[in-house]
Amino acid sequence: IKHFFQAVLECPIQTLAKSSEVLRKRQTLQERLHCMQGALAENSSKIGEVVSQLQSLSSWLAQVPDEKIPVVVPRVEKVNIEGEGRFVTLCQNCNFTCHDRCSIPNDEDKAQCVAMSTSGHC
C-alpha cells in the first residue's frame, strides 16, 4: 500500500480545464439537438397541415362549388409558467421555444443562453 500512495504522489498534476470545456460543449450540443428536435416536430406538424389542406382542396374540386369545405387549423396553446421558478428561451425570429429549461431569468440576458448563437438566433 505504501508503494501505491508513493506512486500517486509522484503522478503529474492534471488540470480539469479540458474536462469543463468538454462538458460545456456537450451541453451546447444537447441544447442544439433539443432545438432541432423541436423544429423537426414543428415542420412535421406543418407538413400534416399542408397535407390536410391539400386533401380538403382536392375533395372540394370534386364537389359543387357552393358547398363549404371544412379545414382543420391546429392551435398552439400558451402555457403560463410564471411563478413556477422555470424560465424558457423563446426565439424572437422563429417564435419557437428554443430552451424550455433555461437558467437565465432575464430576457435582456438571453443572448448568454446556450441555445442561442452569437447572432441571436436559436
Side-chain angles (χ1 to χ4, degrees), residues 16-109:
L16 298 177
K18 294 277 187 189
S19 296
S20 64
E21 182 180 337
V22 167
L23 291 174
R24 185 185 54 74
K25 286 181 179 180
R26 179 183 291 169
Q27 182 180 8
T28 301
L29 288 173
Q30 287 175 339
E31 291 302 328
R32 287 184 180 167
L33 177 63
H34 175 73
C35 291
M36 288 175 21
Q37 287 173 334
L40 285 173
E42 185 178 343
N43 287 338
S44 175
S45 173
K46 287 180 181 180
I47 289 172
E49 288 177 42
V50 169
V51 168
S52 173
Q53 291 173 356
L54 286 173
Q55 288 173 341
S56 294
L57 180 62
S58 67
S59 68
W60 177 78
L61 291 173
Q63 295 177 3
V64 178
D66 292 337
E67 293 183 29
K68 291 184 178 181
I69 305 298
V71 176
V72 179
V73 179
R75 295 189 313 170
V76 176
E77 284 189 38
K78 183 177 181 180
V79 178
N80 186 359
I81 59 169
E82 192 171 331
E84 293 183 18
R86 279 181 47 203
F87 308 105
V88 298
T89 300
L90 177 69
C91 181
Q92 299 299 314
N93 297 310
C94 63
N95 197 28
F96 179 74
T97 302
C98 302
H99 194 187
D100 60 353
R101 295 191 192 320
C102 188
S103 62
I104 301 172
N106 298 326
D107 288 339
E108 301 83 32
D109 301 328

